[in-house]
Structure formats: C-alpha cells, structure tokens
Amino acid sequence: SEPDASPLEVIASKATQVGEMIIVEDTSLDIDGGDVGINIKWLTDSLDQYLGKRAVFRVLLGVQRNGCIEVYAGEVQGTIVTPKGQGFGFDPYFLPDGSKHTLGEEKPDCFNARALAVVNFLNENSSNLLEPLYWSGEWQ
C-alpha cells in the first residue's frame, strides 16, 4: 500500500522505505475538475466522466542518496478522450498535446512521462530535494 498523500509525499515515503540508492516510481494523472491524481489506479474505470478535460500525466522517480530524497519528474500535457487502442491503465484515454494518437495507440518516448523522468534522472536534473518521510497518515 501507499500513502494517501500528495505525489511528492508518496515518492518521498517510498524512497525512504526502500533505503539508499534504490529508484522508486509513482504515476499520477491530474485532471481539471477531478480528484484523481495518485488514485488513478483505482479510478481508471471512471475516466468517461472526464471526456474533453485537460490532464497532466506525471511520473516521479525518487532515490535516497546521502540521507536526502532526490526527485526526478516527467510530465506530459494532454486531454482525456474516448478510449482508443489497447495500452495499460489510462493510456487509451490520454491524448498528448501535439499527437494524433492516444497513448493506447502509440507511446513514443516524447509523450511518455516515465521516459521523460528517466531522462531527467540520467541527466541529474532533479526537480526536488526532500527530507526522508516516515509516513504515519492514511494509506490507500
């Protein structure tokens, strides 16, 4: 289970739990007017209610080094559309800006938030530096 928290708190908690030099990942989908975010894995079946809404596909990678959590982000802007293609989770519903295909039809690295986060990790381009987090709140 994971913390029922913000994406940064989730990634900090995961990285803290596994220890030094192990990469952890978390995916979220922020939809205008919706409370989805980190809970997307539980809400994929309800995406039809957000058709036409703007969304951000976000992946955070975290690694604990020298007692701090380094966070590397990848983000893709897009729109929730009628599902097309196969893909995993929300992929068939997500149409990236600048693409004619949903992620369920085609997922090139330039529209893949996970791939973009990995590039930031490889280039040591962290978006946040956090303290370790020992989560004591609600879990999802």
Side-chain angles (χ1 to χ4, degrees), residues 7-129:
L8 284 174
E9 289 170 317
V10 170
I11 205 70
S13 174
K14 284 182 171 185
T16 300
Q17 288 176 38
V18 299
E20 291 273 327
M21 300 305 294
I22 298 172
I23 299 170
V24 295
E25 181 265 359
D26 198 66
T27 299
S28 61
L29 183 67
D30 295 326
I31 301 173
D32 284 351
D35 186 19
V36 180
I38 63 165
N39 297 309
I40 184 57
K41 64 185 159 204
W42 313 114
L43 300 173
T44 302
D45 292 339
S46 64
L47 286 177
D48 285 337
Q49 68 181 313
Y50 300 109
L51 294 178
K53 299 282 187 178
R54 298 288 301 148
V56 179
F57 165 28
R58 181 176 295 111
V59 171
L60 298 179
L61 301 178
V63 63
Q64 186 175 171
R65 285 188 235 218
N66 303 316
C68 291
I69 309 299
E70 296 173 10
V71 180
Y72 302 88
E75 292 184 359
V76 177
Q77 304 282 326
T79 304
I80 303 301
V81 298
T82 303
K84 295 179 198 149
Q86 300 300 308
F88 175 77
F90 61 83
D91 287 355
Y93 289 89
F94 190 82
L95 178 66
D97 290 353
S99 178
K100 294 180 181 179
H101 302 283
T102 68
L103 295 181
E105 297 172 296
E106 179 179 276
K107 199 171 190 177
D109 286 350
C110 65
F111 296 129
N112 185 337
R114 190 168 287 102
L116 297 172
V118 168
V119 167
N120 282 329
F121 174 78
L122 293 174
N123 291 329
E124 298 182 13
N125 184 21
S126 68
S127 60
N128 292 87
L129 189 61

